[in-house]
């Protein structure tokens, strides 16, 4: 049995590793971006000089041969589902028994005038990082358009090299489609405190060329012209599935799959950023474009292939990011606006730049989700509490158990309890657990590990 995987990102590589663990099948991974798997989430740190590209590879180069996973650095240009084969850019043809499409995303295009000028780019791939290195050499000013996670990463990257940045965010405050108002405002303030020229309610309208075909400035939808020599387009990503056109594999925005990650074509599966569920799980999106869901899809499809049909079951939602040095984490569901059966408890400390929000059912007080800024908590503890439907009161009294850094955060816990007791008159909650877990424990929650 020959398993061929398109894409050596987290989803394709996880599938390969798990199929190898569970079987002796022949495995080939074909990918066009890089010879070896690397951590996409660490690209920014290469630009910022915190690590070399070599260090973003979670496995040594010998690992693949030792585990009999054949790697090919090539691009698939066509999939022939009748002949069960792939045509590669190099002219080679590869036959498969089972095909896993794990081709990921690419940066969304804005469609604006000037988008193809030199000095205008997105950030997704290793090649994008290399272009950014060249495009930002000796520049005086940059503009980043798009107030999501990649946008703020690009801002931080440029700032680390002392390049002044204007950051265009079309919303009223940063990432308001994901963060509740208070958190969104807190992050906006944090960005502005870094002396970033953050412009809310502002969209990019046009990118202006100089005589050499390089960007020389931009115009916003407020008709302001800003001189710059670099424009980062960070308006989201889209599944990179152009090569599947006409193949007979059903696609919408992504490759359509059922809960077993099967496409409409027998023996063809899709996982990771490029997969679009025909039926989404409650509250989750049709396309999930985060690191840990790619990993879970890789494990799931591997189990289906070497063992038995296994449905995608990603468990409790989790996400984490950093806005410069401000940690953000969310466990379970915290939406920008409350659900109709929900109430919220929110504590913030402006001086410490930290906040905690717990959304809970108004009748039972069972918690639905927790969002933190400026503090790192334990995903396993919150997963358990959410799954066991622990009440808000229980969680507050046992908060030290969820603390990742008890020394540092112990001061906040009493303040959080006091805030609860003051807000909800008649309550006298008390901290029950005094000790958090050891500081030396490795936090298993961080989303960026392999
Ligand atoms: C800058 C950046 C920062 C991020 N930070 C975070 C974060 O902090 N936390 C988080 O959870 N998520 C983060 N993400 C998202 C996360 O990286 C992605 O969800 C994840 O990498 C997707 O994995 P994947 O395996 O599905 O696809 P990818 O990692 O995109 O891998 C797919 C591979 O397939 C290759 N490929 C595509 N088409 C072909 C073809 N026709 N032939 C051959 N090869 C092909 C691609 O070149 C690519 O190498 C970040 C993304 C970016 C861009």
């Amino acid at each position: 049995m020959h398993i061929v995987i398109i894409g050596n990102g987290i989803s394709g590589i996880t599938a390969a590793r798990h199929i190898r663990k569970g079987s002796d099948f022949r495995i080939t991974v074909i990918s066009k971006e890089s010879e070896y798997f690397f951590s996409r989430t660490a690209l920014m740190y290469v630009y910022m000089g915190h690590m070399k590209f070599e260090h973003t590879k979670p496995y040594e180069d010998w690992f693949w041969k030792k585990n009999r996973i054949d790697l090919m650095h090539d691009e698939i240009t066509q999939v022939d589902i009748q002949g069960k084969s792939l045509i590669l850019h190099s002219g080679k043809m590869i036959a498969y028994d089972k095909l896993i499409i794990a081709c990921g995303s690419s940066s969304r295009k804005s469609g604006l005038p000037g988008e193809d000028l030199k000095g205008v780019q997105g950030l997704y791939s290793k090649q994008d990082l290399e272009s950014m290195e060249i495009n930002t050499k000796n520049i005086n000013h940059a503009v980043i358009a798009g107030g999501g996670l990649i946008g703020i990463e690009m801002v931080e990257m440029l700032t680390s090299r002392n390049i002044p940045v204007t950051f265009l965010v079309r919303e009223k405050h940063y990432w308001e489609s994901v963060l509740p108002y208070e958190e969104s405002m807190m992050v906006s303030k944090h960005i502005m405190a870094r002396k970033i020229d953050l412009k809310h309610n502002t969209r990019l309208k046009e990118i202006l060329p100089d005589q050499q075909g390089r960007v020389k400035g931009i115009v916003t939808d407020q008709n302001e012209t800003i001189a710059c020599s670099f424009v980062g387009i960070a308006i989201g990503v889209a599944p990179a599935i152009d090569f599947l056109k006409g193949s007979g594999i059903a696609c919408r925005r992504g490759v359509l799959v059922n809960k077993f990650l099967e496409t409409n074509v027998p023996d063809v599966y899709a996982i990771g950023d490029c997969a679009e569920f025909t039926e989404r799980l409650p509250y989750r999106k049709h396309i999930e474009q985060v690191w840990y869901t790619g990993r879970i899809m890789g494990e799931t499809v591997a189990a289906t292939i070497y063992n038995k049909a296994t449905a995608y079951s990603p468990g409790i939602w989790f996400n984490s990011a950093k806005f410069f040095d401000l940690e953000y984490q969310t466990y379970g569901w915290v939406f920008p606006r409350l659900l109709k059966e929900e109430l919220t408890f929110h504590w913030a400390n402006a001086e410490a730049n930290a906040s905690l929000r717990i959304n809970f059912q108004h009748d039972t007080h069972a918690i639905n989700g927790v969002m933190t800024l400026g503090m790192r908590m334990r995903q396993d503890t919150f997963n358990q509490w959410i799954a066991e439907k622990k009440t808000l009161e229980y969680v507050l009294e046992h908060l030290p158990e969820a603390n990742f850094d008890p020394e540092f955060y112990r001061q906040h816990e009493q303040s959080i309890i006091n805030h609860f007791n003051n807000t909800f008159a008649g309550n006298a909650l008390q901290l029950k657990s005094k000790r958090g877990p050891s500081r030396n424990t490795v936090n298993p929650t961080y989303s960026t590990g392999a």
Side-chain angles (χ1 to χ4, degrees), residues 6-12 30-33 40-41 74-76 102-105 123-124 150 153 243 272-273 289-291 447-448:
I6 305 177
N8 68 359
I10 181 65
S11 58
I30 309 171
S31 206
K32 65 177 180 182
E33 181 181 359
R40 191 171 301 291
T41 57
D74 209 329
E75 177 177 359
I76 288 100
C103 59
S105 309
L123 176 65
Y124 189 87
I150 295 178
E153 279 195 5
F243 71 104
D273 269 32
Q289 291 162 314
V290 284
W291 185 267
S447 68
T448 52

Side-chain angles (χ1 to χ4, degrees), residues 43-275:
L43 282 179
M44 68 182 291
Y45 301 110
V46 177
Y47 183 93
M48 291 165 70
H50 298 184
M51 52 165 68
K52 294 206 158 70
F53 181 77
E54 278 302 295
H55 303 143
T56 67
K57 293 192 288 186
Y59 301 92
E60 301 287 346
D61 295 351
W62 49 258
F63 175 88
W64 310 103
K65 199 161 185 194
K66 181 165 179 261
N67 287 285
R68 290 170 295 120
I69 296 173
D70 296 335
L71 302 182
M72 290 179 75
H73 190 190
D74 209 329
E75 177 177 359
I76 288 100
T77 52
Q78 224 179 307
V79 180
D80 172 6
I81 57 170
Q82 263 82 38
K84 286 191 137 185
S85 64
L86 308 175
I87 314 286
L88 309 189
H89 183 71
S90 59
K92 287 186 190 136
M93 202 186 84
I94 302 282
Y96 64 82
D97 295 303
K98 288 188 189 287
L99 176 67
I100 302 175
I101 304 169
C103 59
S105 309
S106 53
S107 301
R108 266 179 55 199
K109 293 276 209 176
S110 68
L112 291 173
E115 187 173 34
D116 296 323
L117 293 171
K118 281 187 218 126
V120 181
Q121 65 164 99
L123 176 65
Y124 189 87
S125 63
K126 175 175 185 276
Q127 287 72 24
D128 290 337
L129 182 75
E130 287 157 2
S131 316
M132 192 163 165
E133 190 63 56
I134 296 165
N135 284 335
T136 58
K137 237 180 205 117
N138 303 322
I139 64 167
N140 295 325
H141 198 91
V143 170
I144 302 298
L149 293 179
I150 295 178
I152 200 165
E153 279 195 5
M154 290 181 99
V155 172
E156 184 173 357
M157 289 160 80
L158 294 160
T159 308
S160 75
R161 294 197 182 180
N162 297 320
I163 299 169
V165 186
T166 299
F167 189 16
L168 307 183
V169 173
R170 75 175 173 188
E171 290 80 17
K172 285 197 295 298
H173 22 87
Y174 178 77
W175 218 24
E176 67 171 20
S177 58
V178 174
L179 301 177
Y181 175 77
E182 290 82 359
E183 282 82 352
S184 180
M185 290 303 287
M186 194 165 147
V187 180
S188 282
K189 276 191 197 144
H190 191 68
I191 297 170
M192 286 189 279
R194 301 267 153 176
K195 302 207 165 31
I196 312 289
D197 177 24
L198 172 61
K199 292 185 189 297
H200 291 127
N201 286 315
T202 309
R203 293 172 193 241
L204 182 62
K205 194 170 92 181
E206 192 184 344
I207 307 167
L208 306 170
D210 68 7
Q211 301 210 321
Q212 285 76 45
R214 246 200 96 83
V215 52
K216 69 165 188 189
I218 60 113
V219 184
T220 70
D221 64 348
Q222 313 290 317
N223 286 327
E224 184 183 0
T225 301
I226 300 168
C228 63
S229 344
F230 178 80
V231 177
I233 308 281
I235 55 170
V237 298
I241 54 171
D242 282 354
F243 71 104
L244 295 175
K245 271 193 193 128
S247 66
I249 299 168
C251 296
R252 214 155 36 204
R253 282 193 300 133
V255 183
L256 289 171
V257 292
N258 62 16
K259 63 182 177 185
F260 299 109
L261 301 154
E262 296 163 327
T263 69
N264 63 317
V265 176
D267 295 328
V268 179
Y269 305 81
I271 56 174
D273 269 32
C274 71

